Amino acid sequence: MLNKILIIEDEHSIATLLSYNLVQAGYETIVAYDGKEGYEMAISEKPSLIVLDLMLPSMDGVEVCKSLRQQKINTPIIMLTAKGDEFDKVLGLELGADDYMTKPFSRVKS
């Protein structure tokens, strides 16, 4: 499916919030709560986008991203993490992430 988004996030409340809003926008979501599970789902489910936390149990987001790129999986990856230092952003992008967003995030009201 072209609109399937894989959310790899260990904080259930954040994963639920992301999933809810993406479903409301018309996307199908699948969720993994640790890095190893997320890595395996990225390979088996072939999502059109991956939203990836960095601080994950079993396999951190940096390793997930690096491993996917080594496997020639070019699915776009947005890193969504509490690590906001410039070093972390540069590292994430150099490892193959397509974008890098920091938590917490808020909704701009119009």
Side-chain angles (χ1 to χ4, degrees), residues 46-87:
K46 298 178 179 34
S48 55
L49 175 68
I50 299 168
V51 178
L52 176 63
D53 187 15
L54 284 186
M55 296 179 282
L56 295 164
S58 78
M59 183 179 190
D60 70 30
V62 169
E63 191 61 34
V64 171
C65 183
K66 184 176 162 185
S67 297
L68 290 172
R69 296 306 189 229
Q70 287 174 344
Q71 294 295 319
K72 304 291 187 226
I73 295 173
N74 295 315
T75 305
I77 296 173
I78 298 174
M79 287 188 170
L80 181 62
T81 179
K83 290 186 169 189
D85 293 337
E86 188 172 340
F87 173 81

Side-chain angles (χ1 to χ4, degrees), residues 6 11 13-14 19-20 26 29-30 34 42 44 53-54 58-60 66 72 76 79 87-88 91 94 99 104 109-110:
L6 170 59
E11 292 185 44
S13 60
I14 292 175
S19 181
Y20 174 81
T29 62
I30 49 177
D34 69 60
S44 65
D53 187 15
L54 284 186
S58 78
M59 183 179 190
D60 70 30
K66 184 176 162 185
K72 304 291 187 226
M79 287 188 170
F87 173 81
D88 294 315
L91 177 63
E94 284 182 350
D99 204 351
K109 295 181 181 181
S110 50

